[in-house]
Amino acid sequence: MIKKEEIFGYTPDKKYSKAVAYFSMEFAIDQALKSYSGGLGFLAGSHLRSAYELKQNLLGIGILWKYGYYDQGRDSNAFMKPELIEKDYSFLFDTGIVFTISVHDSPVHVKAYLLRPETFGSAPLFLLSTDIPENDGLSRSITRCLYDSNEAARIAQTIVLGIGGATLLDVLGIEPDVYHMNEGHSVSLNFYLYAKYKSLEEVQKRVVFTTHTPEIAGNESHQYWLLKEMSFFCQVPEEEVKSMLGMDGGDFNYTLGALKFSRKANGVSKIHGEVARKMWGNNHGICEIISITNAQNKAYWKDALLDDVISRNDDVAIIERKKEMKGLLFKMVADQCGKLFNENTLTIVWARRFAGYKRADLLMYDWDRFLKLVHNTEFPVQIIWAGKPYPEDVESIGLFNHILGSVKHIPNCAVLTGYELALSATLKKGADVWLNNPRMYHEASGTSGMTAAMNGAVNVSLPDGWVPEFARNKENCFVVQMADGQFSQAEKDKQEAENLLDTLENIVLPMYYNNNAQWLSILKQAAADIVPAFEAGRLADEYYKKMYDV
């Protein structure tokens, strides 16, 4: 059996001695490990990297996805096509541990692999797989695709993460002081703990929870009868579950259940904390919800050369390095799209998970005005889109392909596929403007703008998520005015599209081309303001102080 010192490879700092198990459906640790879909994984990956830097007594529990999320390819017409390609990782350590859990009242064998801290510079991460010979075909398929679209398969995945992860810790002889659920996917672990300790209070002593979803509809729930049939409740009777948690009705909501099992919870920005307290506050028996704003690991995301010249306040070198980084991005544009971009032209990037509320096409709301922007010869622009829709989300894939088709013959606009960690980093390093225009109060935090600012990309954003905690308009970013809250959603989209283009045409573009000193001042101020407030070392430390050590 692997020993604790072999798992960590380092002695935890006494300041962070409390033992924490961090459960997450996805982790974006390195481009080579395809165990993530988007922002939740990016956040978890940075958390583990900073936990390693601080030598915290924290380990991660996740799932080894055979096909990852999916590979974002193109069909014969160059439109986006999801592809499932088997992954293989020689750098994962086979612990030799195989244990059994119950799924749908049948035994399912789970194998544990370990990503050692020294491999990529992260806290240790256990990854669980059911794709082993001991299982039948159905059981092997549980850990094949992140966020399976089949409801029963999706529930089985959450059972492997929650109950499977908690079982692994017992097999290892590790009894964490704190079980941290990063989003509600691992909520089944609480039923395992309840079956073990026979007391809700004993579970609550040990569990904390981070919620990331600011809309009721976006929080996962399933019917009680199906969860019971799937062995989700770890043999705790349904009526006992309902009475213990005060959760009657036909559906069990993962987030509400997590809030009742936890001693403390947090939203992921100040705004989101307020939204979460309003959204769940009327439910009896939930825990306190505080705010701990998301952050990203600078050591991983920064360009070392740019960071150095910014710290030395060398404007000439900043301009030169940005052009070099733009050149690297533009090689990708040429390779994928056959378009040659200019390093002297202001480059706008919109890149993140493709979801309707993020409004990837807001720039195009007024098509004639969009064409005027992209054909402006006095203040030329180049625009790049990238991001992954959920592979079963027909509407979001349609939006991706609509944008791709709309700009296919516009030489200074490009849509890139393959949005993963490496492309994300290249986009942030090559962007002059990082565009963020979600529908207000729909973005719990968002973190892409943080790493963009670390790399000399100036945020142009609506004031949602983390942005109000950072933004000083025309000093470290450009804030797009939000629409009046009394408007309908269609009217808000129209107004905010106008406000976005007003900001670009009247403020951003003239400053970039006519007042380079002021532009560089904003770029440098943004880089200075990001650290430490939005660097993941602050986040990892704050979780210990506000969630684990209390």
Side-chain angles (χ1 to χ4, degrees):
M1 184 68 67
I2 189 170
K3 298 177 181 177
K4 183 176 180 181
E5 52 269 25
E6 295 178 287
I7 295 170
F8 280 86
Y10 60 83
T11 302
D13 189 315
K14 290 181 180 178
K15 190 163 72 167
Y16 305 113
S17 61
K18 189 160 281 189
V20 179
Y22 182 93
F23 290 69
S24 184
M25 202 71 149
E26 47 179 295
F27 290 89
I29 301 286
D30 189 88
Q31 174 64 23
L33 183 59
K34 319 288 187 174
S35 55
Y36 59 91
S37 69
L40 183 70
F42 280 42
L43 179 276
S46 275
H47 194 155
L48 261 60
R49 283 183 171 276
S50 291
Y52 173 76
E53 291 171 6
L54 295 170
K55 297 298 177 278
Q56 293 182 337
N57 191 10
L58 180 147
L59 59 82
I61 303 283
I63 292 181
L64 181 60
W65 303 106
K66 182 173 183 177
Y67 298 120
Y69 185 38
Y70 68 90
D71 286 76
Q72 191 179 28
R74 295 179 187 257
D75 65 17
S76 59
N77 295 310
F79 289 114
M80 187 201 124
K81 180 178 69 172
E83 299 173 334
L84 296 179
I85 300 172
E86 183 177 343
K87 314 301 178 196
D88 187 50
Y89 306 113
S90 63
F91 52 79
L92 292 179
F93 174 69
D94 183 348
T95 66
I97 296 171
V98 178
F99 57 91
T100 302
I101 63 172
S102 181
V103 179
H104 207 276
D105 282 335
S106 299
V108 171
H109 303 283
V110 181
K111 187 174 182 64
Y113 294 86
L114 175 64
L115 178 66
R116 294 184 183 274
E118 62 270 20
T119 305
F120 295 125
S122 69
L125 172 61
F126 285 99
L127 294 169
L128 307 179
S129 174
T130 63
D131 190 37
I132 56 177
E134 291 90 332
N135 288 321
D136 62 21
L138 188 61
S139 296
R140 293 186 70 159
S141 71
I142 294 171
T143 59
R144 288 191 174 167
C145 297
L146 175 59
Y147 301 134
D148 197 299
S149 60
N150 177 275
E151 185 179 12
R154 179 77 166 260
I155 293 168
Q157 292 177 340
T158 65
I159 292 171
V160 170
L161 178 63
I163 295 173
T167 303
L168 171 65
L169 294 170
D170 280 352
V171 171
L172 290 166
I174 294 175
E175 188 168 346
D177 298 303
V178 178
Y179 295 79
H180 182 173
M181 297 179 287
N182 185 40
E183 196 52 284
H185 305 115
S186 59
V187 70
S188 63
L189 79 87
N190 296 281
F191 297 106
Y192 178 90
L193 295 176
Y194 181 78
K196 180 178 179 179
Y197 294 109
K198 311 299 182 186
S199 165
L200 176 59
E201 290 73 21
E202 287 298 316
V203 177
Q204 291 169 332
K205 287 179 184 177
R206 294 167 169 81
V207 177
V208 299
F209 170 53
T210 299
T211 175
H212 293 261
T213 310
E215 289 188 8
I216 291 286
N219 290 269
E220 189 167 357
S221 66
H222 300 283
Q223 292 176 294
Y224 271 102
W225 71 265
L226 179 57
L227 292 171
K228 179 183 177 182
E229 193 173 87
M230 293 294 297
S231 310
F232 185 86
F233 299 124
C234 211
Q235 297 186 327
V236 179
E238 180 182 334
E239 289 309 312
E240 187 174 351
V241 172
K242 289 183 175 181
S243 63
M244 168 181 60
L245 297 175
M247 292 176 62
D248 293 322
D251 290 354
F252 177 83
N253 184 290
Y254 281 22
T255 301
L256 183 57
L259 289 168
K260 295 198 173 198
F261 271 122
S262 300
R263 71 174 189 229
K264 202 169 190 179
N266 71 285
V268 290
S269 67
K270 289 181 180 178
I271 285 180
H272 179 233
E274 294 171 6
V275 169
R277 286 187 289 273
K278 290 177 182 175
M279 184 163 42
W280 302 107
N282 290 331
N283 291 278
H284 176 72
I286 69 164
C287 64
E288 177 189 10
I289 305 173
I290 65 169
S291 294
I292 297 179
T293 299
N294 281 349
Q296 289 291 308
N297 180 267
K298 183 178 178 181
Y300 176 77
W301 285 102
K302 73 177 181 181
D303 176 76
L305 291 176
L306 182 68
D307 190 58
D308 177 59
V309 296
I310 288 175
S311 68
R312 291 192 279 110
N313 198 28
D314 187 338
D315 287 357
V316 173
I318 292 170
I319 293 169
E320 185 61 30
R321 183 57 185 160
K322 278 300 292 186
K323 286 185 179 180
E324 290 171 356
M325 295 195 298
K326 289 169 80 170
L328 294 173
L329 171 59
F330 296 166
K331 285 182 180 179
M332 289 187 174
V333 172
D335 180 46
Q336 286 199 29
C337 307
K339 299 178 180 183
L340 300 179
F341 278 19
N342 187 334
E343 293 156 20
N344 296 307
T345 298
L346 180 136
T347 301
I348 300 169
V349 172
W350 189 103
R352 53 189 44 79
R353 181 171 64 88
F354 250 72
Y357 76 87
K358 293 177 183 284
R359 299 190 296 190
D361 60 343
L362 193 67
L363 268 178
M364 301 174 166
Y365 190 94
D366 182 335
W367 182 249
D368 290 337
R369 195 170 173 188
F370 172 75
L371 291 177
K372 180 183 173 185
L373 173 73
V374 298
H375 293 139
N376 187 333
T377 55
E378 181 184 7
F379 299 133
V381 298
Q382 295 163 155
I383 307 173
I384 301 171
W385 288 265
K388 276 188 176 181
Y390 179 62
E392 304 293 333
D393 185 347
V394 175
E395 187 174 333
S396 291
I397 292 175
L399 175 60
F400 186 97
N401 286 331
H402 167 71
I403 294 172
L404 196 158
S406 297
V407 303
K408 190 172 186 177
H409 300 297
I410 300 176
N412 53 330
C413 293
V415 179
L416 300 182
T417 54
Y419 187 69
E420 296 176 356
L421 280 169
L423 178 56
S424 178
T426 303
L427 287 161
K428 289 160 183 173
K429 291 169 183 176
D432 293 307
V433 164
W434 193 259
L435 192 58
N436 178 49
N437 46 249
R439 291 194 172 119
M440 284 298 300
Y441 309 115
H442 286 61
E443 194 69 83
S445 174
T447 61
S448 63
M450 300 173 188
T451 43
M454 293 174 186
N455 288 288
V458 176
N459 279 275
V460 174
S461 178
L462 276 135
D464 199 12
W466 74 283
V467 174
E469 299 169 48
F470 162 78
R472 288 180 288 133
N473 191 30
K474 301 180 190 175
E475 293 183 29
N476 65 3
C477 68
F478 299 96
V479 179
V480 178
Q481 185 177 349
M482 59 187 284
D484 191 305
Q486 296 180 343
F487 288 176
S488 69
Q489 189 55 64
E491 290 170 325
K492 288 178 184 177
D493 289 346
K494 180 177 184 295
Q495 184 61 60
E496 287 170 356
E498 291 177 5
N499 294 347
L500 172 57
L501 282 163
D502 286 344
T503 301
L504 291 171
E505 292 171 347
N506 302 329
I507 303 172
V508 174
L509 289 166
M511 184 187 297
Y512 181 84
Y513 287 106
N514 296 336
N515 194 339
N516 195 239
Q518 189 176 359
W519 183 270
L520 288 172
S521 174
I522 291 174
L523 181 156
K524 291 181 288 186
Q525 190 62 57
D529 290 347
I530 283 293
V531 180
F534 304 99
E535 205 284 321
R538 183 274 308 159
L539 171 139
D541 178 72
E542 195 171 353
Y543 269 103
Y544 261 87
K545 289 176 178 175
K546 293 185 176 180
M547 297 284 279
Y548 305 157
D549 285 335
V550 294

